[in-house]
């Protein structure tokens, strides 16, 4: 055992000092790069791919369309990540009709990281950063509710006046009173805004 250890020490001592120094130098350069790569991207910043086919060989126009598509994808990714699965489903109509048509206005800046034309398709990879404050304002203006965790449960208490007398279902909770048109409208409205309305008939 002692002879084997001595042989290993002798072998190590024959390695040139410059080679050992070079190995340490390479490792010190690689480690910070890996650490930087492992860091999460800043909030509101994502990578996105965009593609377009050149028309009549016009690569400049294809590049422009590819970047535009990548920017739209970037906005979609940030919004969907921010809303989560339930939030995206509950607010789908508002996202599509009110937020995405003006998606370009939410972009703070972007950088084209790589691009190439291959197989008749122009592809770009971009890093896009979204103005989160403006995105938050637009979502609130559109009535998109962002709720952390499960949706807030909501029970609507609607009182209606008919023939001079007020009528309300909780006057006799055991009575089988169907949902009124007003209750149905409120139920759908709150559901679209990310809440979980309670159906009292159930």
């Amino acid at each position: 055992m002692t002879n084997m250890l001595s042989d290993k020490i002798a072998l190590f001592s024959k390695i040139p000092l410059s080679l050992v120094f070079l190995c340490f130098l390479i490792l010190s350069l690689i480690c910070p790069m890996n650490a930087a790569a492992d860091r999460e991207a800043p909030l509101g910043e994502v990578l996105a791919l965009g593609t377009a086919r050149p028309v009549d060989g016009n690569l400049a126009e294809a590049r422009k369309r590819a970047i535009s598509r990548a920017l739209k994808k970037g906005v979609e990714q940030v919004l969907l990540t921010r809303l989560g699965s339930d939030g995206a489903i509950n607010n789908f109509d508002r996202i599509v009709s009110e937020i995405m048509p003006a998606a370009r206005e939410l972009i703070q800046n972007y950088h084209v990281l790589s691009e190439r034309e291959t197989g008749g398709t122009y592809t770009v990879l971009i890093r896009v950063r979204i103005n989160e404050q403006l995105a938050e304002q637009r979502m609130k203006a559109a009535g998109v509710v962002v709720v952390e965790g499960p949706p807030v449960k909501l029970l609507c208490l609607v009182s209606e006046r008919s023939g001079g007398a007020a009528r309300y279902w909780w006057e006799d909770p055991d009575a089988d009173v169907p949902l009124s048109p007003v209750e149905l409208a409120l139920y759908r409205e709150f559901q679209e805004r990310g809440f979980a309305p309670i159906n009292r008939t159930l």
Side-chain angles (χ1 to χ4, degrees), residues 130-202:
I130 308 303
N131 185 328
E132 288 195 282
Q133 187 176 0
L134 181 57
E136 198 74 26
Q137 291 173 1
R138 292 292 172 82
M139 285 194 289
K140 286 181 180 177
V144 175
V145 177
V146 181
V147 181
E148 301 294 340
V152 175
K153 291 185 177 180
L154 184 73
L155 176 63
C156 295
L157 300 173
V158 178
S159 172
E160 296 180 79
R161 189 167 292 278
S162 176
R167 297 176 54 213
Y168 43 92
W169 64 264
W170 61 94
E171 183 177 20
D172 183 7
D174 294 327
D176 188 16
V177 181
L179 293 174
S180 69
V182 175
E183 286 179 296
L184 280 171
L186 286 172
Y187 186 94
R188 290 174 184 148
E189 185 68 21
F190 280 111
Q191 192 174 44
E192 287 179 3
R193 292 174 180 267
F195 292 95
I198 298 169
N199 187 337
R200 62 172 176 77
T201 63
L202 303 176

